[in-house]
Amino acid sequence: MNTLTRWLPGRWSLAAKLTLAMTTLVIVVIVSVTALFIGREQQNFRAELEGQAAILLDTLRVTTADALYLLDVDALKGFTDNFEELEQNIVARIYDAQGRIVADSTIQRGLPFSVQADPFGTTLIESGSTIFDWQTTMLNAGEAVDVGRQRVGAVSVSLPTTVLTTKVENVRNQGIVVALNAALIGAVLSFAVSRTITNPLRQLSTASARIAEGEFSKPIALRTRDELGDLATAFNTMSERLQVMVEDLKNRNVELQAANDRAMQASRLKSEFLATMSHELRTPLNAIIGFSDMLLLGMSGDMNESQRHKVLRLQENGKRLLGLVNDILDIARIEAGRIELRNEPFLPTQLAERMAQQMVVLAERENLTFTMKIDPLFPPLLVGDVQHIEQVIINLLSNAFKFTEDGSVSLAFGVDATTWTIAVKDTGVGIPPHALDLIFEEFRQVDGTAARAYRGSGLGLAITRHLVRVMGGKIGVESALGEGSTFTVTLPLVLPEAEPQLLEAIKV
Amino acid sequence: MNARSVLMIIAAALLVGACATQPTPTPTPEPPTPTPAPEGVITIGDISDDPSEVIEETQPLADYVAARLGEFGVGVGEVRVAPDIETMTEWVESGEVDLYFDSPYPALLVSEGAGAEPILRRWKDGVEEYDSVIFALAESDTEALEDLQGHLIAFDEPYSTSGYMLPLAYMVEAGLNAVEKPDTDAETADDEVGYVFSYDDENSIQWVISGLVSAAVVDNGTFAEIPEETREQLTVIAETEPLPRQVVVVSPTLGAEERAAIHDILMGMDETEGGQAVLEAFDETAQFDEFPGGTEAALERMRELYELVQNR
């Protein structure tokens, strides 16, 4: 069965396959029956023809015995001539004691006078019984002729088998006609039967397609009570349940969408609130800081040392509060998606020198060592958002100085084929391994104690990571507790197309 | 055999009936005589076991001759068929048969027995003379007449010229001791040549092929009709001198004038259209003529051979 199905093209319809199988079966049966019938007819005819040959042989044997004994060929020719007159295409031959043909009904005039023995005649002489030799178009039958104990010769007759051939051809032709008719009827019937199977299947297939498109309204209308009817009922039940489930899902989806919208609205309102609040907070804070500057500069008269100390405390706390507000504002912008990159060519060396100038002052004040290193292969010109890159570097350096009591802070610029790196290394307190994944989250420092000890909002690294991601880069940290930390930022290397001219233009 | 005979009889009867009811184009008596037809009869005789065929073939000749013998009171031609030589001899001697045609040996037998006289040669089957061919299988050891010593040879029948008298005389002249045997199973002494009668030339040929006899004899015309493939596997041991194909014998009862008239009628047949048609019907006879070298010389050689056979 597997062998059969392997030969059936997979793209054929079920109806075509069934029709082909049924038609083939019908043809095989008809051909087999016809072959059996022809075989039986052939057997009957052969027996009948051999019977006729035996009668002729008996007659010929009895009548020719004396002439064969005397080898009177003229008389023998008279016997074979009788067969020639029968007009039934029956050939008679008479053989001498050595198997030579001495009379042959196919020879119209004279006698054969064959010197050589005939093979069939020799066989007859040597054999004591009647021999039937079936050829394609003739039955050759013969037997020896004895007079007393003397074998004087043999006789044979050849009967045409055209009657048999014609009969077999007729049966075969009738068989072909019957087979063709049966095959045609079988094909029509099998096609009709297969349609009773394939039509419901087609309805099921169409219904499945409808359900796949979300249409549940039309159930399958099958009136059969067989397995296909059961299948259709089960299908309709499944369809109804699916419809209920889909409706439920739709409702839940609507609810979820509404909740999501509300959440989005809340987030947006939060960001707007933060932005507004930050703006509103910065205005009075700037005023506080400004007026404190004016007081410290003596623009409102001299102050004693106690007054001066209080104003300084006022200014420092105002600046811290302003920094915190700025960080919150940045986070709010980032979450609201309001960060816009301004990618343009810049000179990395200028950026590095500017950082160094700021950090050297800070290092002297904190009594720390600051070093900076630039890879000699670093390109002279890069494309990127220099303000955000500078913000990232300042945030990392600020953290480094903040968490380093003594020792050093270093800044290194590196480059490879596709990226460039900013590495900020310190010899500070370090970060415990469990906190390495937390330090980039908002409002998180290693612990509350540290946050209080080192001041700060805990937003710096979160803002840094957001900015780096926005610029298509990534940030990582390696640290050992008590030995310091190294923060590495990796950014995509983007070079300007017309570098030399651009380089000159920027320098100018 | 019986069925075939019946068929032949019916066919012959139909043919005879047809001949009787339809005017025969030949012979036409010429010229028509105003006087009443004479009632005298001229009779032609033959020996055969198939009288119908013989009468059919010979009747035109009888009519032709009769029509020309009116001056002798003859107006009717008849054909009589005898079953054997003896009967024919009696008929010729008594005058019941006036003319008799046969090959030299039976013709001599009849003429000797009846005191009749051969007068002309007949070109039967268009042949003026024939001889005898003695042959054997090429693959056998029989290559010459002497090799037949101690072996059998098949002859046709006792009254056959080419199948008996001529070859037997030839063998006697060669010094062979020919002895008749009853059948092919008979013993043959080393100093003799046994001979058996096959009663048919075709039997003789077949007997050689089938090994019943070592050799056989047939006339040269029959030998030539053997299929070439078979003939190539035969070897000719000897071929005799030729003899006239047939001889015309006249009854001693006929007068000299009437005999001379018959002689002239027969001699002139091939010169007229009517005569040729009759000759053609009469076993395709080409003509009648005188014996080459004269009648006496021809008869003398034939009688020599005849006597060799009769007196051995």
Side-chain angles (χ1 to χ4, degrees):
Chain A
M1 200 61 185
N2 288 335
T3 308
L4 176 65
T5 52
R6 197 167 60 224
W7 288 102
L8 291 174
R11 64 177 181 279
W12 281 26
S13 68
L14 195 58
K17 289 174 181 173
L18 279 169
T19 304
L20 177 65
M22 293 288 287
T23 307
T24 305
L25 181 65
V26 168
I27 289 175
V28 167
V29 169
I30 295 289
V31 167
S32 302
V33 170
T34 305
L36 284 171
F37 184 70
I38 288 174
R40 179 162 291 184
E41 282 295 300
Q42 277 182 322
Q43 279 185 341
N44 292 340
F45 182 81
R46 285 167 75 103
E48 186 182 329
L49 206 61
E50 287 183 358
Q52 288 179 15
I55 292 170
L56 289 172
L57 283 175
D58 280 347
T59 307
L60 200 56
R61 180 173 51 78
V62 169
T63 53
T64 59
D66 291 341
L68 263 176
Y69 182 83
L70 298 170
L71 201 55
D72 184 351
V73 288
D74 191 47
L76 294 172
K77 179 168 172 52
F79 294 125
T80 57
D81 284 350
N82 289 337
F83 281 85
E84 203 276 327
E85 290 166 7
L86 287 176
E87 295 182 354
Q88 291 180 0
N89 293 325
I90 297 175
V91 175
R93 291 190 179 91
I94 301 171
Y95 310 83
D96 70 4
Q98 288 77 42
R100 298 182 194 88
I101 298 173
V102 295
D104 187 333
S105 66
T106 61
I107 297 176
Q108 301 291 327
R109 282 192 59 191
L111 289 157
F113 294 132
S114 301
V115 177
Q116 274 71 39
D118 180 75
F120 190 56
T122 307
T123 306
L124 295 176
I125 294 295
E126 292 171 352
S127 169
S129 58
T130 305
I131 291 178
F132 297 101
D133 177 26
W134 283 92
Q135 299 295 322
T136 308
T137 58
M138 299 290 283
L139 164 63
N140 297 321
E143 60 186 20
V145 178
D146 296 337
V147 174
R149 293 180 180 175
Q150 184 180 350
R151 181 145 299 169
V152 294
V155 291
S156 77
V157 289
S158 297
L159 284 74
T161 58
T162 47
V163 177
L164 171 65
T165 311
T166 306
K167 190 177 280 187
V168 169
E169 283 178 358
N170 287 341
V171 172
R172 186 195 61 200
N173 293 340
Q174 288 167 4
I176 289 171
V177 171
V178 170
L180 287 176
N181 285 331
L184 185 64
I185 294 168
V188 170
L189 284 177
S190 56
F191 184 72
V193 170
S194 62
R195 285 295 295 263
T196 63
I197 299 171
T198 56
N199 274 347
L201 288 176
R202 193 174 292 113
Q203 288 184 42
L204 284 167
S205 175
T206 307
S208 299
R210 278 205 307 270
I211 288 172
E213 291 171 0
E215 188 181 345
F216 298 92
S217 56
K218 293 182 180 175
I220 300 169
L222 270 185
R223 293 171 186 170
T224 57
R225 294 181 179 177
D226 54 12
E227 292 86 346
L228 287 168
D230 296 341
L231 178 62
T233 305
F235 193 91
N236 286 336
T237 306
M238 180 196 74
S239 176
E240 287 167 5
R241 289 186 181 173
L242 268 176
Q243 187 175 12
V244 171
M245 289 172 69
V246 167
E247 289 298 326
D248 188 41
L249 273 176
K250 276 182 180 175
N251 293 336
R252 290 191 185 186
N253 201 30
V254 168
E255 289 172 5
L256 281 174
Q257 187 63 41
N260 189 44
D261 289 346
R262 285 196 298 274
M264 292 288 288
Q265 179 72 8
S267 177
R268 193 175 70 252
L269 288 173
K270 181 195 80 175
S271 298
E272 286 176 0
F273 170 76
L274 284 173
T276 306
M277 283 303 294
S278 299
H279 180 71
E280 294 301 325
L281 283 170
R282 275 195 301 183
T283 304
L285 280 172
N286 281 329
I288 290 167
I289 293 166
F291 282 115
S292 63
D293 280 346
M294 289 170 67
L295 286 171
L296 288 172
L297 287 171
M299 293 176 71
S300 300
D302 293 336
M303 291 183 292
N304 58 28
E305 196 56 32
S306 175
Q307 289 174 328
R308 188 174 183 82
H309 178 72
K310 289 174 181 172
V311 171
L312 274 173
R313 291 286 303 275
L314 178 68
Q315 190 182 48
E316 283 174 8
N317 284 298
K319 284 183 179 178
R320 282 180 60 194
L321 190 57
L322 181 61
L324 182 62
V325 168
N326 282 339
D327 285 349
I328 290 170
L329 188 61
D330 283 347
I331 284 289
R333 280 177 179 166
I334 289 166
E335 287 184 349
R338 291 179 184 173
I339 293 291
E340 289 184 2
L341 293 178
R342 293 181 62 190
N343 289 325
E344 53 189 10
F346 68 95
L347 296 168
T349 50
Q350 282 185 355
L351 172 67
E353 286 170 5
R354 197 160 57 242
M355 292 296 102
Q357 285 173 1
Q358 292 180 25
M359 292 307 126
V360 165
V361 175
L362 189 60
E364 284 179 355
R365 195 175 71 192
E366 299 289 336
N367 200 22
L368 294 170
T369 305
F370 176 76
T371 58
M372 189 177 72
K373 183 181 174 184
I374 301 175
D375 191 322
L377 298 176
F378 209 84
L381 196 60
L382 281 178
V383 172
D385 188 335
V386 70
Q387 284 186 340
H388 285 123
I389 292 169
E390 189 173 336
Q391 188 179 351
V392 166
I393 295 172
I394 287 173
N395 280 352
L396 292 176
L397 285 172
S398 298
N399 267 354
F401 278 107
K402 191 193 300 180
F403 292 102
T404 304
E405 293 292 331
D406 55 10
S408 63
V409 173
S410 66
L411 173 63
F413 293 92
V415 69
D416 60 19
T418 57
T419 58
W420 63 287
T421 57
I422 303 160
V424 175
K425 184 178 181 184
D426 64 63
T427 57
V429 295
I431 306 165
H434 71 271
L436 286 175
D437 293 334
L438 304 174
I439 57 174
F440 293 107
E441 295 181 8
E442 289 87 348
F443 304 105
R444 294 297 290 265
Q445 289 183 335
V446 175
D447 58 48
T449 309
R452 284 190 295 277
Y454 294 105
R455 300 188 301 261
S457 62
L459 289 173
L461 283 176
I463 292 169
T464 299
R465 187 177 68 169
H466 278 302
L467 288 175
V468 169
R469 285 181 175 173
V470 168
M471 288 188 287
K474 60 183 180 182
I475 185 169
V477 60
E478 291 179 355
S479 182
L481 202 59
E483 293 181 5
S485 307
T486 301
F487 287 83
T488 304
V489 172
T490 304
L491 292 168
L493 184 67
V494 182
L495 297 173
E497 293 180 357
E499 189 179 324
Q501 294 83 347
L502 197 61
L503 185 61
E504 290 302 317
I506 292 172
K507 281 181 179 177
V508 169
Chain B
M1 188 68 170
N2 291 334
R4 187 166 185 257
S5 300
V6 169
L7 278 173
M8 294 302 292
I9 290 165
I10 293 169
L14 288 172
L15 282 168
V16 169
C19 290
T21 53
Q22 292 179 6
T24 308
T26 57
T28 42
E30 55 182 53
T33 53
T35 55
E39 296 179 354
V41 176
I42 180 82
T43 304
I44 297 176
D46 200 349
I47 304 169
S48 174
D49 56 359
D50 194 356
S52 302
E53 185 179 356
V54 170
I55 292 170
E56 181 191 350
E57 292 171 354
T58 313
Q59 187 61 51
L61 177 65
D63 295 341
Y64 183 91
V65 175
R68 284 159 182 78
L69 291 175
E71 59 181 297
F72 300 102
V74 174
V76 177
E78 285 189 355
V79 179
R80 294 195 68 181
V81 179
D84 49 44
I85 291 270
E86 290 75 18
T87 305
M88 181 56 70
T89 304
E90 287 175 14
W91 287 354
V92 171
E93 186 179 16
S94 65
E96 292 176 73
V97 166
D98 301 305
L99 284 172
Y100 166 57
F101 306 88
D102 214 329
S103 58
Y105 184 49
L108 282 175
L109 281 172
V110 170
S111 60
E112 290 293 319
E117 184 181 351
I119 59 169
L120 287 172
R121 181 171 70 169
R122 175 192 172 195
W123 292 40
K124 186 187 176 191
D125 295 325
V127 175
E128 76 272 32
E129 58 184 16
Y130 67 161
D131 58 48
S132 299
V133 177
I134 302 171
F135 62 94
L137 274 177
E139 65 183 12
S140 71
D141 297 331
T142 310
E143 296 175 352
L145 278 179
E146 296 75 32
D147 297 333
L148 287 174
Q149 299 250 35
H151 295 280
L152 272 179
I153 183 169
F155 288 157
D156 181 6
E157 55 169 344
Y159 300 111
S160 170
T161 303
S162 61
Y164 175 62
M165 182 197 80
L166 186 54
L168 181 56
Y170 195 80
M171 289 166 63
V172 171
E173 278 188 329
L176 294 176
N177 176 28
V179 179
E180 184 181 350
K181 299 294 179 184
D183 55 51
T184 55
D185 293 329
E187 294 288 329
T188 303
D190 292 342
D191 61 345
E192 62 184 24
V193 177
Y195 65 87
V196 290
F197 293 107
S198 72
Y199 295 95
D200 194 287
D201 281 345
E202 290 174 332
N203 284 348
S204 297
I205 298 166
Q206 187 63 55
W207 287 12
V208 171
I209 292 171
S210 295
L212 298 186
V213 294
S214 298
V217 59
V218 294
D219 65 86
N220 57 335
T222 301
F223 189 78
E225 289 174 359
I226 296 173
E228 187 176 356
E229 187 184 349
T230 303
R231 206 167 58 239
E232 287 172 352
Q233 297 180 71
L234 302 174
T235 183
V236 175
I237 298 171
E239 188 163 3
T240 65
E241 66 189 86
L243 286 180
R245 181 64 188 85
Q246 277 207 339
V247 173
V248 182
V249 177
V250 292
S251 170
T253 58
L254 290 177
E257 290 181 357
E258 192 173 358
R259 194 183 309 170
I262 291 170
H263 175 278
D264 294 342
I265 292 167
L266 295 178
M267 283 291 286
M269 281 186 75
D270 62 311
E271 295 170 2
T272 65
E273 200 171 316
Q276 288 171 357
V278 173
L279 288 174
E280 178 66 22
F282 188 43
D283 270 343
E284 299 175 4
T285 302
Q287 66 178 70
F288 294 97
D289 65 355
E290 300 282 1
F291 293 103
T295 305
E296 284 307 316
L299 288 176
E300 185 180 347
R301 178 56 184 157
M302 283 191 283
R303 284 199 178 98
E304 275 181 30
L305 295 170
Y306 170 77
E307 284 169 8
L308 275 174
V309 171
Q310 292 295 312
N311 302 327
R312 66 192 170 85

